[in-house]
Structure formats: C-alpha cells, structure tokens
Amino acid sequence: MSALVSEDPMTHSLNRRGMEQEYARETSRAIRTGAPLCVAMLDIDNFKKLNDTHGHLVGDEALIHLVKTAKEELRATDVIGRMGGEEFMILLPNTETNDAVMVVTRLQRALTRKIFFGEKNLGESEKILITFSAGVARYENGESQESIMDRADKALYEAKHTGKNKVCLAAPGSQNPAAASA
C-alpha cells in the first residue's frame, strides 16, 4: 500500500511524496557520511506541442518512454520521480557535480537514440524525437528540498532559454546557473 501512495500510477516512477521520502533518506545519508548528493530537474522539451499535435495519450506514452529509458540508463542508486506534468526529479546519491552532469547527459543521449514511436497512438511510420532540458544542483548541508529544487529549476530554465536539450549547472548557493556542456 505504501508503494501505491508514493508511486506515480502512469509512469511507475516515484511521485512527489515518494521523492520527498527519498530526499529525506538521501540527505540524511549525505550528512552522516559526508558523501555528495546531486539533484537534477528535467523537463521534456516542446511537450505542449507534442500534446497539441498528437494528443494527450501520445504525451502520456512519451512520459512513460522517458521513465523507462531513465530506469534502463540510470545507476541502481539513482532515483527518478515525477514532480508534476512533464517535470521529473532525479536524485543522484554519492555523486559529485561533474559526474551528475555526465549521468544526465548520458540519459539525454540514450533518449535520442531510443526514438519514440508512440506505439499505441501513432501510425507505424511516425517517429518522434523526445528531448529534455535539465538543471543540476549539488546538495548543501541542511538545504531543504524546496531550495535545491529551486536552484535546479533555475538551471533547467537556463537550459530551456539557451537552446533546449541541454544540461545546466546551478552554482553552489547561487541563483545564477552556469551552462554545462551537453
């Protein structure tokens, strides 16, 4: 029953509540061990256009495709959760900032290799390239989930505004993200 309350029923990733529990667990571990922890916020590029062009069922399938690809590509210790709409959060425990950027960039590349066909709701000849923009922030001791998500979100929007399909890095304690190579 607990899993049902903390899981997004459509994508089978964690939901916001599940991510709050994982965040508390991972920040506690990071404080206890001194290990780094990074958070990535990602948002599917041009999702409204995808929904408007192909319908919400195809949009739902795209979200499922993203999570499936993430679960295949992310490390066993990484956790993905749907925070709402087409926005997802990934917890990257025991991960330095540069490594977190590399993990998220690797996920971007895997997603572009795994062309989305919209199996149930598109014609067989229709293929859609799904990309996402992301922001990465490193946990600072005692930082709330809201604060780190805000920093990662600002970096995500920097990625969106500077070309999409990019990963941007939030500077420590800064509200001004610096672009990272994708």
Side-chain angles (χ1 to χ4, degrees):
M1 187 64 154
S2 175
L4 293 176
V5 173
S6 60
E7 184 179 280
D8 176 55
M10 183 177 62
T11 64
H12 300 291
S13 65
L14 291 180
N15 61 19
R16 184 176 289 269
R17 180 178 182 183
M19 287 304 281
E20 287 171 359
Q21 293 167 347
E22 282 298 314
Y23 182 82
R25 189 174 4 263
E26 291 303 336
T27 55
S28 176
R29 183 186 339 251
I31 292 166
R32 189 175 61 254
T33 65
L37 171 66
C38 286
V39 167
M41 296 299 294
L42 44 120
D43 189 80
I44 295 178
D45 295 324
N46 306 310
F47 191 72
K48 181 179 179 346
K49 181 178 177 186
L50 174 74
N51 273 337
D52 291 348
T53 304
H54 300 286
H56 291 283
L57 291 176
V58 171
D60 290 350
E61 286 183 35
L63 298 174
I64 294 165
H65 177 71
L66 169 66
V67 170
K68 180 177 183 266
T69 302
K71 287 181 175 182
E72 291 168 357
E73 296 296 326
L74 292 173
R75 302 164 306 173
T77 57
D78 301 333
V79 180
I80 186 168
R82 184 174 179 202
M83 302 309 286
E86 70 274 12
E87 189 171 50
F88 292 84
M89 181 168 116
I90 301 175
L91 288 174
L92 302 145
N94 201 27
T95 307
E96 291 293 348
T97 308
N98 291 339
D99 293 332
V101 170
M102 288 184 347
V103 168
V104 175
T105 301
R106 187 177 68 233
L107 175 56
Q108 280 181 318
R109 291 181 180 148
L111 192 63
T112 59
R113 281 192 313 272
K114 297 178 181 187
I115 304 282
F116 172 62
F117 289 94
E119 299 162 11
K120 297 176 187 167
N121 296 295
L122 287 176
E124 286 186 29
S125 63
E126 288 193 74
K127 300 174 190 173
I128 299 172
L129 178 66
I130 298 172
T131 63
F132 65 82
S133 298
V136 173
R138 188 179 197 274
Y139 172 72
E140 296 177 5
N141 204 2
E143 186 171 22
S144 70
Q145 183 177 348
E146 291 170 3
S147 173
I148 196 168
M149 283 177 62
D150 184 57
R151 291 191 304 116
D153 256 341
K154 283 179 174 43
L156 182 157
Y157 286 107
E158 178 70 18
K160 289 257 187 215
H161 295 301
T162 58
K164 298 183 182 175
N165 196 28
K166 294 173 71 174
V167 180
C168 286
L169 180 62
S174 170
Q175 299 301 315
N176 298 320
S181 60

